[in-house]
Amino acid sequence: MSFCISSSNNTTHMPMTNPRHCHYFRHNMKLWFTGLSGSGKSTIATALERELLLRHKKTIYVLDGDNIRHGLCSDLGFGTTDRQENIRRIGEVCNLFTDAGTIVLAAFVSPYKEDRDKVRLLLGKNGERKNFIEIHVQASVSTCEERDPKGLYKRARAGEIPNFTGISAPFEAPENPEVVLKSGEKSVEECVSQLVTYLKDGGYLCSPGNK
């Protein structure tokens, strides 16, 4: 006897309330770090991950170019269309993580306002509370170029990297982000402290005994 599973064209996503969302935090959330290369997005996100994990017992995952561009989006380049597709995929991945009860810290240059706005709409709201928190990691091109941990600005200046944000491609700064981190002036620790204060004041964090 043989069985055949036919394909379906009426597949729908069935939303459900996930009890894992309420285990250690009141609101599932995605923190979206945007800024120039070298502004400190991944460094600050990783430091915040450590803070929330150790002190507040949260389930966290950091998404950035290192773990996305070498796997899920390894087929994409850095032109406008590929950047748009890159951000779209990341938004969908963020949704999957939060469905599983995980706070997502997404650290990407994401230079175009339209793409970030689409992700904001995709990730939506939790009742009346925003669960997409846009964070502008603000540092000047000159500051980022001085840091240049991977030597990317030097290569971009030499014409070796086309479409490099801040040099040969634009960065559209957020107009009304939830948080602005002046990473060109503040230490990583100060930026993390600012974020934790924002999350506490906004009611996003609660202790395990206060569910």
Side-chain angles (χ1 to χ4, degrees):
M1 182 180 295
S2 61
F3 296 90
C4 176
I5 300 176
S6 61
S7 61
S8 172
N9 60 3
N10 65 345
T11 303
T12 58
H13 175 68
M14 300 298 291
M16 63 183 68
T17 300
N18 191 331
R20 288 173 291 192
H21 289 168
C22 305
H23 186 52
Y24 282 138
F25 48 96
R26 290 192 178 98
H27 306 282
N28 64 321
M29 56 184 171
K30 303 92 173 173
L31 279 68
W32 190 277
F33 297 77
T34 179
L36 295 171
S37 177
S39 60
K41 300 179 299 299
S42 292
T43 301
I44 295 169
T46 300
L48 178 63
E49 175 190 35
R50 186 163 53 247
E51 171 74 13
L52 295 179
L53 179 63
L54 295 179
R55 295 181 182 273
H56 301 280
K57 309 302 180 185
K58 308 301 178 188
T59 305
I60 321 288
Y61 196 82
V62 174
L63 293 172
D64 64 10
D66 287 341
N67 57 24
I68 289 291
R69 282 284 187 176
H70 292 97
L72 178 66
C73 296
S74 60
D75 59 319
L76 300 177
F78 291 89
T80 301
T81 301
D82 279 2
R83 283 185 182 274
Q84 291 172 339
E85 175 61 14
N86 182 57
I87 298 305
R88 187 196 68 80
R89 293 182 191 180
I90 293 163
E92 296 291 353
V93 170
C94 286
N95 258 347
L96 293 176
F97 270 100
T98 50
D99 279 350
T102 299
I103 296 174
V104 181
L105 310 181
F108 297 92
V109 174
S110 46
Y112 301 119
K113 179 181 182 298
E114 181 181 359
D115 296 338
R116 297 192 303 266
D117 287 347
K118 286 180 179 178
V119 174
R120 182 185 289 274
L121 288 174
L122 171 68
L123 302 181
K125 291 185 177 182
N126 184 2
E128 292 302 314
R129 185 179 301 277
K130 296 177 181 178
N131 60 0
F132 176 84
I133 300 170
E134 185 176 42
I135 301 162
H136 183 193
V137 184
Q138 190 179 78
S140 66
V141 173
S142 59
T143 296
C144 295
E145 198 162 2
E146 286 175 9
R147 296 172 177 173
D148 203 11
K150 299 179 181 179
L152 299 178
Y153 282 92
K154 183 178 180 179
R155 292 178 58 198
R157 291 289 188 190
E160 297 176 9
I161 305 178
N163 302 313
F164 190 83
T165 303
I167 302 298
S168 54
F171 176 76
E172 299 172 1
E175 295 175 358
N176 295 294
E178 280 68 36
V179 182
V180 176
L181 300 178
K182 296 186 177 180
S183 62
E185 304 171 10
K186 295 183 176 182
S187 67
V188 172
E189 292 75 20
E190 289 173 321
C191 290
V192 169
S193 178
Q194 181 181 342
L195 286 171
V196 170
T197 297
Y198 173 86
L199 295 174
K200 286 181 177 178
D201 290 349
Y204 291 96
L205 298 179
C206 62
S207 65
N210 188 28
K211 301 171 190 176

